[in-house]
Amino acid sequence: MTTDSRAGTPWPAIPLGTRVVVRYRLPAGYSHPMTDVIGDLVSVEPVVVVRTAEEKLVQVAPNTVVALKPLSARPIRTAEIRSLEHAMAAGWPGLEQAWIDGWFLRAGGGFTGRANSATPLGPRGTVADPDDPDVRARLRGWFADRGLPLRLLLPDRLAASPEGWVPTGGQVQVMAADLDNVPLPPGLGPVAVSPEPDADWIALYRGGNLPDVAGAVLGAVVAGTLGFGRIGTPGTPPIAIGRAAITDAPDGRRWVGLGAIEVAPEHRRQGVGTLLSGSLLEWGRELGATHAYVQIEAGNTASRELYSGLGFVDHHRYGYLTEPVG
């Protein structure tokens, strides 16, 4: 969603949630005629509202705005990446979990890379080098006991890529949003949310071509809440489905993560995915979520445009590495 670009306003259309600088005129009697405020753009009607880094909402009358310009995105701190990755891991934890040498290990019967990988989520300075033979042996042994290969999930800046390990698949882009900056629908509308997926939901997810363990992996969460959304008449195949996981991060933020968003082919490019995503985000906010994330393939431009339109911005990326043979 973009701001109003009506004639007479002194700014171009800028997506809500964008980090901006607003220069505006001060009333007579001030020592200087104008001042600036920097923060996230919350709204432009009936007044311009900006949320500063101190979480203060500054309201500016539109007729006093001299300039409103977007700024480059705020740099994401390494601690923020680690914290969000904790929430993401809790939202898709596989069926078994363990901590070994600062790595968080998940096993889910081989279904999806995330649920069957090791992620460096230990505190700074505690993550051991997987090139250390003893460390690698411990990691490898845990996965081998479950019939799985040793696969690392490496987010930006949390650990160095071990030499010689083999990239598996492409990069995944994590996008995030402050729910206060997301234009959410007033209620769920035609979207029904259930605590578990039914057979019709499963049939639409990945075309229903799933291993037996998929249902258990989809239904797993650590200290959180799951919602399975669908659009469609009860008792008939849904036209769209999605999974939302609400989990808490170590920094105190409560996240709702969207995944498994599928729209039936004949209903695509009609705004159904946006409606479903927005409704699931509203469901999450009603349950206390303050922030949201999605994970998309780095080259998926359609999904990127959808979530950018909802106010999501790039947060970080991650990729997979598998242990070299020999």
Side-chain angles (χ1 to χ4, degrees), residues 4 70 76 90 106 122 125 127 176 207 209 231 279-280 308:
D4 190 355
I76 303 298
R106 289 173 278 178
V127 177
N209 185 23
I231 298 177
S279 295
L280 286 174
S308 293

Side-chain angles (χ1 to χ4, degrees), residues 180-277:
D180 285 343
N181 295 333
V182 176
L184 299 180
L188 298 178
V191 179
V193 182
S194 304
E196 57 186 26
D198 60 18
D200 288 333
W201 195 104
I202 293 289
L204 183 54
Y205 180 51
R206 298 192 177 189
N209 185 23
L210 302 171
D212 292 340
V213 74
V217 173
L218 282 163
V221 67
V222 174
T225 302
L226 294 179
F228 293 87
R230 58 176 287 159
I231 298 177
T233 305
T236 63
I239 66 174
I241 59 168
R243 177 185 187 270
I246 301 173
T247 53
D248 294 321
D251 63 4
R253 295 182 180 184
R254 172 162 289 187
W255 292 86
V256 53
L258 300 185
I261 303 293
E262 298 270 4
V263 178
E266 63 273 22
H267 295 284
R268 291 172 184 168
R269 303 186 185 283
Q270 300 176 28
V272 175
T274 300
L275 173 62
L276 175 65
S277 297

Side-chain angles (χ1 to χ4, degrees), residues 40-275:
D40 297 328
L41 184 63
V42 176
S43 71
V44 293
E45 292 184 303
V47 297
V48 175
V49 180
V50 174
R51 177 180 289 102
T52 68
E54 294 76 28
E55 297 295 322
K56 179 181 178 182
L57 291 177
V58 177
Q59 300 185 14
V60 181
N63 62 357
T64 68
V65 173
V66 175
L68 193 163
K69 298 180 180 179
L71 298 176
S72 58
R74 177 181 64 82
I76 303 298
R77 301 191 303 271
T78 301
E80 293 178 286
I81 295 174
R82 182 180 294 106
S83 190
L84 175 49
E85 283 285 342
H86 271 274
M88 289 164 52
W92 193 267
L95 304 179
E96 296 181 78
Q97 306 86 36
W99 283 94
I100 296 178
D101 295 324
W103 293 80
F104 183 65
L105 281 60
R106 289 173 278 178
F111 179 64
T112 77
R114 283 180 288 158
N116 298 271
S117 58
T119 313
L121 297 185
R124 183 178 179 182
T126 68
V127 177
D129 185 352
D131 274 340
D132 181 307
D134 293 335
V135 174
R136 188 188 296 194
R138 286 190 287 271
L139 297 175
R140 183 195 302 123
W142 191 88
F143 285 104
D145 288 345
R146 290 152 181 82
L148 298 169
L150 173 52
R151 177 191 290 114
L152 306 181
L153 186 161
L154 290 186
D156 291 341
R157 307 203 303 268
L158 295 194
S161 299
E163 186 175 354
W165 288 56
V166 182
T168 304
Q171 290 281 301
V172 176
Q173 177 68 61
V174 179
M175 301 182 72
D178 181 333
L179 284 178
D180 285 343
N181 295 333
V182 176
L184 299 180
L188 298 178
V191 179
V193 182
S194 304
E196 57 186 26
D198 60 18
D200 288 333
W201 195 104
I202 293 289
L204 183 54
Y205 180 51
R206 298 192 177 189
N209 185 23
L210 302 171
D212 292 340
V213 74
V217 173
L218 282 163
V221 67
V222 174
T225 302
L226 294 179
F228 293 87
R230 58 176 287 159
I231 298 177
T233 305
T236 63
I239 66 174
I241 59 168
R243 177 185 187 270
I246 301 173
T247 53
D248 294 321
D251 63 4
R253 295 182 180 184
R254 172 162 289 187
W255 292 86
V256 53
L258 300 185
I261 303 293
E262 298 270 4
V263 178
E266 63 273 22
H267 295 284
R268 291 172 184 168
R269 303 186 185 283
Q270 300 176 28
V272 175
T274 300
L275 173 62

